[in-house]
């Protein structure tokens, strides 16, 4: 591929990576969404065809013969040609230019990350007749990190809050969070920006509203109008919090640097004016690691293109799509036709009664850590009846795809508990199962606490029992993470997500103040 790509870096990219690697931080290089350790076994090589495991793969008609022939311009020139928002010139812009101008390494890292997504964003903007400098907005929002989460829980490349995401049809379920999806979040962000432009008739005010909220901008306008004062961005900025005051100046600074990189001693990598990825449709469940393997992509590159999937399995359905680089989409189709192993190694389990994770694990023949980690259940939490857990397929779980209803509506509700130890004297008609049921613990736990090798207990025997005490009920839906993040393949999980790369002391102060957009 001639496209600038992380998975097959050009000489310039490799040199940048070699020179900048020591300076990468969590915000620049978040941990993988799926930390593969020891997921249930599946066949690890591409083997003979298995029609029963076939996935309904729909590739664009021209993918198989896709040829990069349109080289009319570098993508950067296309971005510059579509600039249409009036320039802002003030001291805040000068301050932001000074900051960015001395941090070319940071700019190049962000460009490298965003090179996967930029062509798609520019295409969508041009289809709508919108200014192309809006394609640089994720530079400010998230440093083009689709895994970014702000202190206010705004999520994804375009930084949507949960409620605003739902307003723009971004689904947030146990299995995926569309606020992170490249296609869905971009479409929602542009819909939102179009709506704001329609409200204010000014792109600068629309951007202020994207950061601050349309209600806040409307109130500021009314204050200005009541005093007979102008209602342009610069005039309204006296009413704005620092984050919003600096929001447009940051975009203006990046716009200036991309427009004239030579003035900042910056050599931008060439980005071919061609798509980086294509969309592949599928209808069967497939493990993330299997999909990456079939596409012959590193796991981190696969998840960079498909960050919306919140669990180690991608559930099936006619609307489920994955993004792959064009060449890899063809490889995916070829390898899938030869694949013999199971596509998915995960199943959904509905909890019948409120139980401790340890008791559930015993019933399912799993280690408690497996259930906790893949489902983001903290210690000392009980799982409420009716909750859905993701568990590895086994002899005790059905070997079929997760139903569409579960994929769309599954919830995990947990209770925070503590324990207290009590002593219980065994009566004449007691047995271990009855005692366990009475105290809402498992037989296995009773045996462990009392060092019992068998399930027989004697009349008059004293048992020590750690009884759960509910101290707080947490009925938050576990979406794509522990507290609105993402999951990883079991049993060992890495689920922490880096916040966006941020800009100096002023921004740090803003974050501490808890100010964020899309409220």
């Amino acid at each position: 591929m001639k496209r600038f790509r992380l998975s097959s870096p050009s000489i310039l990219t490799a040199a940048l990576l070699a020179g900048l690697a020591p300076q990468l931080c969590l915000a620049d290089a978040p941990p993988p969404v799926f930390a593969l350790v020891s997921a249930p076994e599946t066949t690890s090589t591409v083997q003979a065809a298995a029609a029963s495991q076939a996935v309904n793969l729909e590739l664009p008609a021209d993918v198989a013969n896709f040829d990069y022939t349109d080289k009319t311009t570098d993508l950067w020139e296309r971005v510059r040609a579509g600039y249409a928002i009036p320039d802002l010139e003030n001291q805040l812009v000068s301050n932001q230019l000074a900051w960015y101008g001395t941090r070319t390494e940071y700019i190049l890292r962000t460009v490298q990350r965003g090179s996967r997504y930029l062509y798609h964003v520019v295409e969508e903007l041009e289809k709508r007749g919108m200014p192309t400098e809006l394609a640089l907005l994720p530079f400010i929002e998230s440093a083009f990190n689709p895994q970014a989460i702000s202190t206010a829980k705004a999520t994804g490349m375009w930084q949507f809050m949960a409620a605003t995401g739902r307003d723009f049809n971004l689904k947030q379920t146990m299995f995926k969070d569309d606020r992170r999806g490249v296609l869905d979040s971009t479409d929602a962000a542009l819909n939102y920006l179009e709506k704001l432009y329609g409200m204010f008739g000014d792109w600068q005010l629309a951007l202020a509203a994207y950061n601050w909220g349309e209600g806040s901008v409307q109130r500021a306008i009314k204050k200005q109008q009541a005093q007979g004062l102008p209602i342009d961005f610069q005039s309204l900025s006296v009413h704005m919090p620092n984050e919003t005051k600096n929001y447009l100046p940051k975009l203006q600074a990046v716009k200036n640097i991309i427009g004239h990189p030579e003035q900042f001693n910056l050599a931008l990598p060439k980005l071919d004016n061609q798509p980086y990825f294509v969309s592949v449709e599928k209808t069967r469940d497939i493990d993330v690691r299997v999909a990456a393997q079939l596409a012959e992509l590193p796991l981190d590159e696969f998840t960079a293109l498909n960050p919306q999937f919140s669990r180690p399995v991608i559930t099936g359905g006619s609307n489920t799509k994955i993004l792959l680089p064009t060449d890899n989409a063809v490889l995916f189709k070829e390898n899938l036709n030869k694949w013999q192993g199971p596509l998915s190694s995960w199943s959904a389990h509905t909890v019948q009664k409120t139980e401790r994770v340890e008791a559930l694990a015993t019933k399912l023949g799993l280690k408690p850590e497996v259930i906790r980690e893949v489902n983001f259940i903290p210690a000392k939490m009980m799982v409420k009846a009716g909750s859905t857990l993701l568990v590895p397929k086994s002899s005790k779980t059905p070997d079929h795809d997760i139903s569409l209803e579960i994929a769309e509506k599954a919830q995990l509700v947990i209770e925070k508990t503590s324990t207290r130890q009590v002593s219980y004297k065994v009566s004449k008609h007691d047995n271990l199962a009855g005692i366990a049921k009475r105290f809402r613990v498992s037989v296995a736990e009773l045996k462990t606490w009392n060092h019992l090798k068998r399930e027989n207990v004697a009349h008059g025997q004293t048992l020590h029992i750690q009884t759960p005490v509910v101290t707080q009920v947490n009925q938050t839906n576990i979406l794509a993470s522990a507290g609105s993040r993402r999951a990883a393949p079991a049993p060992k999980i890495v689920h922490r997500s880096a916040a966006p790369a941020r800009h100096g002391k002023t921004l740090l102060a803003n974050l501490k103040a808890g100010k964020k957009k899309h409220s």
Side-chain angles (χ1 to χ4, degrees), residues 14 16 31 106 116 154 167-168 204 277 381 403 450:
L16 285 172
Y106 164 78
R116 299 180 181 98
D167 288 343
F168 287 88
Q204 293 184 351
F277 56 75
M381 287 292 203
S403 72
N450 294 279

Side-chain angles (χ1 to χ4, degrees), residues 94-104 106 502-505:
S94 299
N95 293 344
Q96 296 298 333
L97 276 170
W99 192 93
Y100 283 108
T102 58
R103 289 164 175 80
T104 55
Y106 164 78
R502 293 300 190 181
H503 314 157
K505 293 181 179 179

Side-chain angles (χ1 to χ4, degrees), residues 26-30 100 106 109-110 113-114 117 135-150 154-160 179 185 210 247 498-503 507 516-517:
L26 282 177
D28 294 314
Y100 283 108
Y106 164 78
R109 286 197 298 274
T110 304
R113 190 183 300 121
Y117 319 118
L136 305 176
L137 197 59
F139 206 113
I140 312 305
E141 287 289 341
S142 63
F144 276 105
N145 175 8
Q147 308 293 358
I149 301 177
S150 78
T155 296
M157 187 166 70
W158 296 94
Q159 290 287 278
F160 274 95
R179 293 178 297 166
S185 71
Y210 190 84
Y247 189 69
R502 293 300 190 181
H503 314 157
L507 185 54
K516 199 65 188 103
K517 80 232 131 277

Side-chain angles (χ1 to χ4, degrees), residues 26-41:
L26 282 177
D28 294 314
V33 182
F34 302 94
L36 197 62
V37 178
S38 55
E41 281 192 30

Side-chain angles (χ1 to χ4, degrees), residues 452-500:
L452 302 177
K453 294 182 179 180
R454 300 179 181 178
E455 294 189 7
N456 297 329
V457 288
H459 177 224
Q461 181 180 354
T462 299
L463 297 179
H464 301 290
I465 305 171
Q466 296 179 26
T467 60
V469 179
V470 177
T471 57
Q472 178 182 339
V473 176
N474 177 357
Q475 295 193 339
T476 302
N477 292 353
I478 305 299
L479 300 174
S481 67
S484 266
R485 301 213 172 118
R486 68 211 130 277
K492 194 70 176 175
I493 309 301
V494 171
H495 65 273
R496 296 184 183 275
S497 174

Side-chain angles (χ1 to χ4, degrees), residues 360-367 396:
L360 286 165
T362 299
K363 289 180 179 178
L364 296 170
L366 299 170
K367 292 182 178 179
K396 296 185 178 182

Side-chain angles (χ1 to χ4, degrees), residues 238 294 356:
V238 296
L294 294 177
R356 294 160 59 94

